[in-house]
Amino acid sequence: MSDYTISRIFKSDLHGSRQMDLLLLQEGIRRDPNLDYSCGLFDDKMQLVATGSCFGNTLRCLAVSRLHQGEGLMNRIVTHLMEVQYFRGNTHLFLYTKCSAARFFHDLGFYEIARIDGQVVFMENKRNGFDKYLKGLSGDLAQHGADCHGADCRGTGCRGADFRDAAPGSKPVSAIVMNANPFTLGHLYLIEKAAAQSDLLHIFIVSEDVSLVPFQVRKRLVIEGTAGIHNLVYHDSGPYIISNATFPSYFQKDEDAVIESHARLDLAIFARIAGTLGITCRYVGEEPFSRVTGIYNRIMESQLPKAGIHCRVIPRKQANGTAISASSVRNAIRENRMDLLAGLVPDSTYRYFCSGEAGPVIRAITSQDDVIHY
């Protein structure tokens, strides 16, 4: 084992990158497009025998040459990547792996969060990490109950923390998961429809910071834009509800398989969340534009009822005969069409993009060749 040297593989290292791609392919893995650190174990002839990578707080693209399996090399790769992550300040780590490898990673200190049999297992290095997240969601709900105590919530159906005492036939406790990149009149319409049909509505805002509009801005605009609706509870999605943009694709055979795996894994996690919060209905917006989201919605409609959760698809709100989407809003910003923007977003979102504070976000959007989500 002392004959192996561990080294970082930079994107500019063409020889090392080619060896990494070849080793991954030999093990049935494609290089994930979302990597920010890669390393490899090389023998005394500088041949790559094991590799692994990071993206954010996840470990990805882990592989050992089949000629060297059983030598403890994956342990060395994972140990090195965890040291890199700890140096970055990331102590809560996640990985996605094939079902056949889950036991191995459990032996390295990772614990299963959810799995899709025959496809993927989602793991973390905190024994009770997901349980603590669920307790935090209950805390958000308790805070909502405290905030609503004595408040005038008439007309909303809100009963705060007492929702579990709902009488038979009353409105359901519901949920929406949204990225809101940025918050539009379409998002507001979906929330208004769901809130009117629900006793309590949980809003999960995807907190991954990989969108053109930063998470803290997205969250603020959602809260400001829905200030008049009182039966809402807001939650950060945390690391457990992730976007399509960062779901790993490296051991999936094609794009459709990636979308399906992501959807099924997300729904398995959501079912646990729903059980904690008493959620029996999830609302989604109709998807006329994005192929990815359209497939995701179809899987959701099929799978959620199996977990005892209704899936309600709401037709999109339209402007000028076209469904409003975050993509169309970003495009209006990119083209500096503030007149068009005003008809697509709530006043709070419009005021933000007219302010100097939005300068960095506007520059990020205008620097993109394409801001449409397909």
Side-chain angles (χ1 to χ4, degrees):
M1 192 175 294
S2 60
D3 294 332
Y4 299 123
T5 302
I6 194 162
S7 301
R8 182 172 182 179
I9 301 175
F10 292 91
K11 291 182 179 179
S12 58
D13 179 2
L14 299 181
H15 179 65
S17 293
R18 280 196 295 268
Q19 287 199 71
M20 177 180 167
D21 286 339
L22 181 60
L23 175 56
L24 290 173
L25 286 173
Q26 288 174 345
E27 299 307 315
I29 299 171
R30 297 172 295 156
R31 183 198 288 255
D32 194 285
N34 295 310
L35 300 178
D36 53 34
Y37 181 91
S38 296
C39 70
L41 272 174
F42 295 85
D43 64 17
D44 55 2
K45 297 180 181 179
M46 289 307 294
Q47 295 300 303
L48 185 68
V49 297
T51 187
S53 299
C54 300
F55 175 69
N57 61 351
T58 65
L59 309 187
R60 303 188 172 206
C61 293
L62 302 158
V64 174
S65 167
R66 62 192 62 187
L67 299 177
H68 296 273
Q69 292 177 3
E71 299 179 26
L73 303 188
M74 182 58 72
N75 197 338
R76 292 185 61 182
I77 288 288
V78 171
T79 299
H80 173 77
L81 293 177
M82 292 179 72
E83 289 173 352
V84 169
Q85 292 281 24
Y86 291 158
F87 181 78
R88 292 173 165 183
N90 296 328
T91 58
H92 192 181
L93 306 178
F94 300 83
L95 63 81
Y96 303 84
T97 187
K98 297 178 180 179
C99 297
S100 58
R103 179 174 295 181
F104 170 80
F105 288 109
H106 182 270
D107 291 342
L108 294 182
F110 284 83
Y111 302 90
E112 183 174 320
I113 300 167
R115 74 165 57 208
I116 303 302
D117 287 334
Q119 297 184 39
V120 60
V121 180
F122 185 32
M123 308 184 78
E124 63 182 333
N125 69 333
K126 302 288 187 182
R127 182 187 296 272
N128 300 314
F130 189 44
D131 288 337
K132 289 181 179 178
Y133 171 73
L134 295 177
K135 289 180 181 177
L137 297 180
S138 296
D140 293 340
L141 181 58
Q143 183 60 50
H144 172 80
D147 292 342
C148 282
H149 183 68
D152 182 10
C153 290
R154 287 173 297 176
T156 66
C158 177
R159 289 179 289 108
D162 298 325
F163 76 91
R164 288 186 179 86
D165 297 326
S170 65
K171 294 178 181 179
V173 174
S174 304
I176 295 174
V177 178
M178 60 174 53
N179 196 28
N181 182 34
F183 189 63
T184 72
L185 286 175
H187 293 115
L188 178 58
Y189 178 77
L190 175 63
I191 290 174
E192 287 174 337
K193 287 289 185 181
Q197 298 172 11
S198 303
D199 191 51
L200 195 68
L201 178 61
H202 294 271
I203 308 294
F204 292 86
I205 306 163
V206 175
S207 51
E208 278 185 307
D209 243 333
V210 294
S211 300
L212 289 169
V213 183
F215 166 64
Q216 290 300 334
V217 174
R218 290 186 284 111
K219 179 179 179 179
R220 190 182 92 196
L221 294 181
V222 171
I223 293 173
E224 289 178 353
T226 57
I229 307 172
H230 301 291
N231 60 333
L232 306 182
V233 184
Y234 306 97
H235 306 283
D236 298 354
S237 71
Y240 299 101
I241 301 175
I242 70 167
S243 67
N244 286 308
T246 58
F247 184 74
S249 59
Y250 47 87
F251 49 80
Q252 307 293 323
K253 62 181 181 179
D254 54 38
E255 185 180 359
D256 284 359
V258 173
I259 299 168
E260 180 180 350
S261 291
H262 179 205
R264 291 179 182 275
L265 189 64
D266 176 69
L267 297 179
I269 292 170
F270 181 77
R272 294 270 307 275
I273 293 171
T276 296
L277 296 176
I279 294 167
T280 59
C281 184
R282 180 165 169 175
Y283 283 79
V284 297
E286 187 180 50
E287 184 46 69
F289 302 123
S290 169
R291 173 179 167 274
V292 172
T293 307
I295 295 173
Y296 192 101
N297 282 0
R298 287 197 295 274
I299 294 172
M300 199 180 309
E301 287 184 87
S302 169
Q303 296 300 311
L304 280 178
K306 297 178 182 178
I309 303 168
H310 298 293
C311 181
R312 295 182 180 171
V313 181
I314 303 300
R316 289 283 192 102
K317 182 178 179 63
Q318 296 197 351
N320 301 317
T322 303
I324 297 174
S325 70
S327 291
S328 62
V329 169
R330 294 193 299 271
N331 201 50
I333 295 169
R334 181 175 174 272
E335 296 178 351
N336 196 29
R337 291 288 310 278
M338 301 306 286
D339 57 325
L340 180 60
L341 180 67
L344 300 175
V345 298
D347 290 342
S348 51
T349 300
Y350 183 74
R351 287 196 301 271
Y352 168 77
F353 280 104
C354 288
S355 72
E357 181 187 358
V361 177
I362 292 174
R363 287 192 290 274
I365 292 173
T366 55
S367 69
Q368 300 296 307
D369 293 331
D370 189 1
V371 293
I372 305 300
H373 174 53
Y374 299 101

